[in-house]
Amino acid sequence: MPGVATDISHINTNSSVEFYVGQSQLSNALRGINIVVISAGVARKPGMTRNDLFSINASIVRELIEAVADTCPKALIAIVTNPLNSTVPIAAHVLKSKNCYNPKRLFGITTLDSIRASRFVRDTHGIDAMELHVPVVGGHSGNTIVPLLSMATPQVKLSQKEMEDLVQRIQYGGDEVVKAKDGEGSATLSMAYAGARFTSSLVRAVGGAQVMESAFVPLAADSQGAHQIRRLGANSLDFFAVPIELGKTGTLRIVPLDAEPNMLELKAIDIAARTLKDNIAQGIKYMDSNQPLY
Amino acid sequence: MVSVAILGAAGGIGQPLSLLLKLNANVSKLHLYDIVNVPGVAADISHISTNAEVKSFLGAGQLNDAVTGIDLAIIPAGVPRKPGMTRDDLFKINAGIVKTLVEAIALNSPKAFIAVISNPVNSTVPIAAEVLKSKGVFDARRLFGVTSLDVVRASRFVRDLRPDVDAAALRVPVVGGHSGNTIVPLLSLASTPISLSLEETKDLTHRIQFGGDEVVKAKDGAGSATLSMAYAGARFADSLLRAMKGESVVEPTFIALAADPEGAKEFRELGAGSLEFFAVPVELGPGGVKRIVPLGAQPSAFELDAIKVATEALATNIATGVTYVKGV
């Protein structure tokens, strides 16, 4: 850890870099912090699903969030650690039990799914990936990922088969990398890019800007704005990835989709919601059966 | 639009460097080559939503394809330093690697720009030059040793000492070579005048010269600078890419002074003497080195002394590289 920090501290941007090693330094690491990004945890290996890493990563996230609650309860918290569909609910649970839960300040980073969506459309259709935006809703694993290709801007003309293939590829983009890395891990570089992109948005928002983004959030962050996505299939789920507008205090509002998803997409949202329900419940179950010692 | 090959793409520097190059809008094709793990790295990076097409090349059998049709080859390949090792200790291994890679570039893309990161740069750049000469394709304007990290460190370390300084804006010329006392930061010629006592100048100079060791020590056996090196390498590559497009860009870099014999005179007089290679500020253009940029003022006495020391060490390092290729 000192090595990474020393390396990075030589870069000639103006931020100062400090390092903290080990559990005993965790609260020092968090003192005075505005934004916490959590990527800690083990990576998937071929054959593993995101749920296989669940126990290890669940306990890591729980411990870190407890420290955040104790040291910087007003920080914006962005989670990368998988399985996101469960770790974000775990984080919410910890914050609630510490009486510092604010649904507007908690985010699961799903940016990589949007990035993959734009890039994979370019792979098959040659369009400018940097200009293309595809809304992605639902969760952050396999069939809980729902890219809304019919609402891409600029519009992309796709046959049903093309759409199905693209959806499949976007949903299992992570597996593609795990397989290619052949035991050496999962996506790191593209995930770092995605994480940095989302964190930049948080930084700008904390700095006073209003920023459009997407993330896996507690729908309680904007109960009113959540109506649309509930009606479309999120139903009574507590968490769902949606387009949001960020400001100084975190999620300002959920941004409505400006069209109805097509039949294929509505079906995909249904399937996603069913799996998500289990993933979220698994997170809650973990917390209920691992009562903290406080 | 430009095709770039990263040779050593799966390594500690190669991976973050490949990520940063994938983010560069001027790159249309990114060839990632290594002897292990590169298919996974390429699959990972290929998911990023910028327009460059990523291709993976694994193993010696795919090297020729990796360097075919490329405009720029960046070489971070090689083993990193461990505590106690000097850059020269890794020489034998890295010399062989650089020689093989440059032979392939000479064969398949002889007009490509070549940016060498692999240490010891003071010797690997001369090795590259000798290989290119032996194939009849050497162009002093297209071969670069990447010294940007020294410049980056100079700016940052000044800020560490003077917290009001904007590290991103400050430019400190750094001349000489790329290891220990061959690195000569010209703090007296910084873009914004900084007031330093002699003691502070000595300490700062030492810190910049041994910044690499600072990281090797902190990593405690786990390697040398990777992330800051990737940043510096990507910054230099970006300057090359912009220069290829016709923009006039100034960068410090370790080059064969034959790239601009007229411009080299000033540096020879300041102490480079008859050295074949020296790090100097360079104006880049579509053909590579357009000219060496004059310093505009005389370095201080302390700095002139440092150039003397640097030149002596550099002469040995360069000879080591040349001998490696040519024999005795």
Side-chain angles (χ1 to χ4, degrees), chain B residues 95-312:
Chain B
I97 292 171
V98 169
K99 180 162 175 281
T100 304
L101 296 174
V102 176
E103 277 166 356
I105 297 167
L107 190 63
N108 296 282
S109 293
K111 288 211 158 29
F113 288 2
I114 303 174
V116 179
I117 291 175
S118 312
N119 270 316
V121 167
N122 296 350
S123 305
T124 54
V125 169
I127 286 173
E130 287 305 319
V131 168
L132 295 164
K133 282 178 198 172
S134 71
K135 308 283 180 191
V137 296
F138 178 57
D139 182 347
R141 296 166 305 166
R142 290 176 193 263
L143 176 64
F144 312 88
V146 182
T147 58
S148 305
L149 186 49
D150 303 321
V151 173
V152 165
R153 284 179 178 142
S155 310
R156 180 64 224 195
F157 294 171
V158 168
R159 180 178 169 84
D160 286 346
L161 200 57
R162 295 277 188 273
D164 289 336
V165 168
D166 181 341
L170 184 74
R171 306 192 116 226
V172 177
V174 180
V175 299
H178 186 56
S179 73
N181 65 7
T182 66
I183 297 169
V184 186
L186 304 177
L187 293 159
S188 72
L189 299 178
S191 57
T192 310
I194 322 151
S195 168
L196 297 165
S197 69
L198 184 59
E199 201 57 43
E200 285 172 325
T201 302
K202 282 183 181 163
D203 288 345
L204 205 41
T205 299
H206 191 263
R207 194 181 174 207
I208 294 162
Q209 290 178 333
F210 296 95
D213 293 67
E214 207 175 290
V215 180
V216 170
K217 187 158 168 248
K219 288 198 173 188
D220 199 26
S224 55
T226 50
L227 304 166
S228 51
M229 184 62 237
Y231 165 72
R235 199 182 96 158
F236 184 71
D238 182 59
S239 293
L240 286 178
L241 295 173
R242 286 186 291 131
M244 278 181 200
K245 281 175 77 180
E247 211 181 306
S248 171
V249 188
V250 176
E251 272 287 358
T253 170
F254 185 71
I255 55 165
L257 293 179
D260 176 10
E262 199 52 49
K265 283 194 182 135
E266 180 191 352
F267 293 87
R268 293 195 182 285
E269 272 154 36
L270 289 173
S274 57
L275 287 183
E276 194 184 342
F277 302 86
F278 210 70
V280 284
V282 156
E283 186 186 348
L284 297 165
V289 176
K290 217 162 153 189
R291 60 173 190 128
I292 294 171
V293 178
L295 288 176
Q298 187 79 338
S300 69
F302 174 80
E303 288 158 354
L304 289 170
D305 275 343
I307 292 177
K308 254 202 206 90
V309 173
T311 300
E312 269 175 50

Side-chain angles (χ1 to χ4, degrees), chain A residues 53-241:
Chain A
L53 19 106
F54 180 74
S55 298
I56 307 168
N57 289 358
S59 121
I60 290 171
V61 169
R62 193 186 85 203
E63 180 190 310
L64 295 175
I65 297 290
E66 279 167 3
V68 171
D70 289 339
T71 316
C72 54
K74 291 210 158 43
L76 301 185
I77 303 168
I79 301 180
V80 174
T81 308
N82 274 316
L84 205 63
N85 296 350
S86 307
T87 55
V88 172
I90 285 171
H93 196 288
V94 171
L95 295 164
K96 278 181 200 165
S97 60
K98 294 268 197 175
N99 288 315
C100 58
Y101 178 55
N102 183 329
K104 294 170 191 293
R105 292 200 290 249
L106 180 61
F107 310 86
I109 299 183
T110 55
T111 310
L112 187 48
D113 302 321
S114 305
I115 284 168
R116 283 179 177 142
S118 302
R119 180 64 223 196
F120 294 172
V121 172
R122 175 175 175 78
D123 285 347
T124 49
H125 287 72
I127 46 82
D128 185 337
M130 288 171 64
E131 294 298 313
L132 183 71
H133 175 70
V134 180
V136 181
V137 299
H140 185 58
S141 74
N143 67 6
T144 66
I145 297 169
V146 185
L148 303 175
L149 291 159
S150 69
M151 287 186 231
T153 46
Q155 257 192 349
V156 189
K157 274 205 110 173
L158 298 164
S159 69
Q160 169 131 338
K161 175 86 180 39
E162 285 172 332
M163 217 174 254
E164 282 169 358
D165 288 345
L166 269 169
V167 169
Q168 171 84 1
R169 195 182 173 208
I170 294 162
Q171 291 181 333
Y172 296 96
D175 293 68
E176 208 175 291
V177 180
V178 170
K179 188 158 168 246
K181 289 201 174 187
D182 198 26
E184 295 292 315
S186 55
T188 49
L189 303 165
S190 48
M191 184 61 235
Y193 168 66
R197 206 175 89 165
F198 184 76
T199 305
S200 284
S201 293
L202 290 180
V203 170
R204 286 188 290 133
V206 167
Q210 278 164 308
V211 188
M212 300 300 246
E213 262 293 353
S214 257
F216 183 68
V217 295
L219 292 181
D222 177 8
S223 313
Q224 197 59 238
H227 282 327
Q228 184 199 45
I229 201 72
R230 291 193 182 286
R231 176 177 58 79
L232 292 172
N235 300 323
S236 57
L237 289 180
D238 285 330
F239 303 86
F240 215 75

